[in-house]
Amino acid sequence: MKAPKSIFILVVTISFFGCQQETTSNPLKSALASESPLIRKVMDSVGQYEVQIRYTQIDRKNDSVQFTDFDFQVDSDNYFYPASTVKFPAAVAALEKLNEIDSLNLDTRFYIEGDSIETTFANAISEIFSVSDNAANNRLIEFLGQDALNTRMSAKGVNPIRIAHRLSAPEADNVTTKPLIIYINDSTTATSNPIINTYLEALQLKRIEKGQGFYTDDGMQTGSFDFSMKNYYPIDAQHGLLKRIIFPQVFSKEEQFDLSPSQYEFLLNAMHTLPKALGYDSNEYYDSYVKFLMFGDSMDPMPDYIKVYNKVGYAYGTLTDCAYIQDTKNNVDFMVTATILVNKDGIFNDNVYEYDEIGIPFLAQLGRELYQYELNRK
């Protein structure tokens, strides 16, 4: 039975104005207009902090998921140093490569030639997310090679991206990987071949040179610090990878990573697991040790009903968090990727950065402002 024409027009009109009202409101703008001093301290001098933020609302209707993105100063041409956020794509690419090699799995034991630390792929990935372990990430780089890692990401639409070097390691930008010694069984090992990657070219981006001085082994140097040979992993790529991992069904088959259901389950669990669950000392590695958004400025235990699936990075005065936040008690979830530079003196490598005074409190309050909005959103 057809509805009367007058009722049909009324329904369409309400729907139209409802969409228009949702479109014209900007919750991210409202969050950044907060009177909280943790927000105001940054927003009142926002130009010096190089803030970029993408916030995604998540709506569901029947079996479909819809994203609504809100941006603040997001620009892939404006460079920021991604630091440890690059460990997220390394973990995903390693899982995908494992899925292609019948003789390897998450529990396969291995060590890097010349290194005495034996581990498994599962341990390396867990350490990357729970405490942001640099050595664990570097082992995956030796397994993957920089070129293959970048190619895997770009093939799925995660771009722009350029992972060029290891983290906090000697010869970090060596283009040839070290062999892996892999245990086939308890008494038999195999050695992987080194991977030769392409030589780096300098990034041509805005804000690629920062500050007014920097320290090297030879002491203080004057002039801008040049990031053109560093890793490049902007907001677009970070947020795009997060969406593909949390909601793979939203993307075409070509843009989904080739992971098994058990690999997905393992990855998602690793992303939200807190350090204490893996046996780390909770006094040193408290719940929010690598959870900046919402909880970063507190050492108190996080609520059991809130899970943060994320990867943070902090180095050279830059703090970044790429997070999917889920409140199972109040049926709330949303995504935020945010970065901020806190280097008041403009000197790099001096270890004088305002992480605890400005950067982490800002990210924590930003997360709380958006969470409060989501609690009230229909």
Side-chain angles (χ1 to χ4, degrees):
M1 179 178 178
K2 292 184 179 180
K5 184 179 293 187
S6 58
I7 296 177
F8 176 76
I9 294 173
L10 179 63
V11 170
V12 171
T13 302
I14 290 174
S15 175
F16 173 78
F17 280 107
C19 292
Q20 186 181 50
Q21 183 178 6
E22 182 70 21
T23 302
T24 55
S25 64
N26 189 326
L28 178 56
K29 184 176 180 180
S30 298
L32 295 175
S34 168
E35 291 303 315
S36 166
L38 307 182
I39 298 288
R40 291 268 52 83
K41 189 179 293 186
V42 170
M43 297 306 296
D44 288 346
S45 305
V46 70
Q48 68 178 289
Y49 294 110
E50 300 190 10
V51 175
Q52 295 189 44
I53 306 167
R54 175 163 294 165
Y55 153 64
T56 298
Q57 289 179 352
I58 301 166
D59 293 293
R60 295 168 176 82
K61 185 175 182 180
N62 299 323
D63 292 331
S64 67
V65 176
Q66 179 180 339
F67 300 135
T68 305
D69 293 337
F70 298 89
D71 285 357
F72 179 75
Q73 299 190 153
V74 172
D75 186 346
S76 293
D77 289 334
N78 283 337
Y79 180 84
F80 66 88
Y81 183 66
S84 290
T85 59
V86 299
K87 297 171 185 175
F88 184 12
V92 174
L95 286 171
E96 189 174 59
K97 183 172 180 178
L98 284 176
N99 211 25
E100 298 166 359
I101 304 174
D102 291 339
S103 59
L104 302 182
N105 58 56
L106 275 167
D107 297 319
T108 297
R109 294 182 295 136
F110 72 95
Y111 62 91
I112 305 300
E113 187 176 79
D115 189 1
S116 60
I117 303 298
E118 180 186 301
T119 189
T120 66
F121 292 100
N123 285 341
I125 293 171
S126 294
E127 290 164 356
I128 277 174
F129 288 105
S130 62
V131 295
S132 198
D133 188 273
N134 286 334
N137 170 78
N138 296 341
R139 293 181 185 110
L140 297 188
I141 296 297
E142 307 298 353
F143 174 58
L144 292 161
Q146 297 94 309
D147 288 352
L149 169 51
N150 294 325
T151 298
R152 285 180 183 275
M153 291 297 117
S154 295
K156 304 302 183 182
V158 177
N159 51 63
I161 186 171
R162 199 277 297 271
I163 309 304
H165 61 82
R166 301 155 187 83
L167 301 173
S168 299
E171 299 183 332
D173 56 358
N174 192 333
V175 297
T176 303
T177 65
K178 297 177 182 178
L180 273 66
I181 312 302
I182 300 168
Y183 286 86
I184 304 303
N185 53 49
D186 288 340
S187 58
T188 306
T189 61
T191 303
S192 67
N193 294 321
I195 303 168
I196 301 175
N197 299 274
T198 55
Y199 283 92
L200 294 182
E201 294 184 3
L203 295 166
Q204 302 296 319
L205 297 166
K206 292 178 288 186
R207 298 182 180 175
I208 200 71
E209 295 185 355
K210 301 182 186 292
Q212 58 192 15
F214 56 95
Y215 278 89
T216 68
D217 293 339
D218 297 323
M220 173 70 179
Q221 310 294 317
T222 58
S224 300
F225 189 75
D226 186 357
F227 284 88
S228 64
M229 303 299 281
K230 299 290 187 182
N231 290 334
Y232 172 51
Y233 184 38
I235 297 288
D236 281 341
Q238 293 197 27
H239 212 71
L241 178 57
L242 184 67
K243 284 179 175 178
R244 284 162 174 78
I245 293 303
I246 302 298
F247 295 103
Q249 73 277 13
V250 173
F251 295 88
S252 67
K253 194 68 177 176
E254 292 74 23
E255 291 189 310
Q256 294 178 25
F257 287 92
D258 184 18
L259 307 182
S260 69
S262 61
Q263 285 178 320
Y264 261 117
E265 182 181 2
F266 169 79
L267 178 60
L268 292 174
N269 188 60
M271 290 178 70
H272 76 75
T273 296
L274 302 178
K276 61 188 178 186
L278 296 177
Y280 289 98
D281 180 358
S282 58
N283 291 318
E284 181 179 0
Y285 299 102
Y286 43 91
D287 286 3
S288 61
Y289 181 74
V290 287
K291 309 288 183 187
F292 296 159
L293 291 159
M294 286 189 68
F295 304 105
D297 57 354
S298 171
M299 296 178 66
D300 294 337
M302 289 169 50
D304 291 339
Y305 58 87
I306 296 182
K307 294 180 179 179
V308 181
Y309 302 75
N310 77 313
K311 187 69 202 76
V312 301
Y314 55 100
Y316 295 118
T318 301
L319 289 160
T320 306
D321 198 348
C322 175
Y324 167 64
I325 298 172
Q326 181 185 47
D327 176 345
T328 56
K329 184 174 77 172
N330 296 293
N331 197 29
V332 160
D333 63 341
F334 60 102
M335 295 181 180
V336 187
T337 303
T339 187
I340 179 173
L341 173 65
V342 285
N343 187 11
K344 186 177 181 179
D345 65 8
I347 307 298
F348 288 89
N349 279 341
D350 62 353
N351 292 322
V352 180
Y353 306 116
E354 296 74 43
Y355 291 141
D356 296 328
E357 299 85 352
I358 296 176
I360 290 177
F362 171 78
L363 293 176
Q365 186 62 29
L366 172 66
R368 290 190 288 264
E369 296 282 348
L370 294 172
Y371 172 69
Q372 191 59 48
Y373 173 83
E374 288 284 348
L375 283 176
N376 297 325
R377 188 169 74 93
K378 293 182 180 180

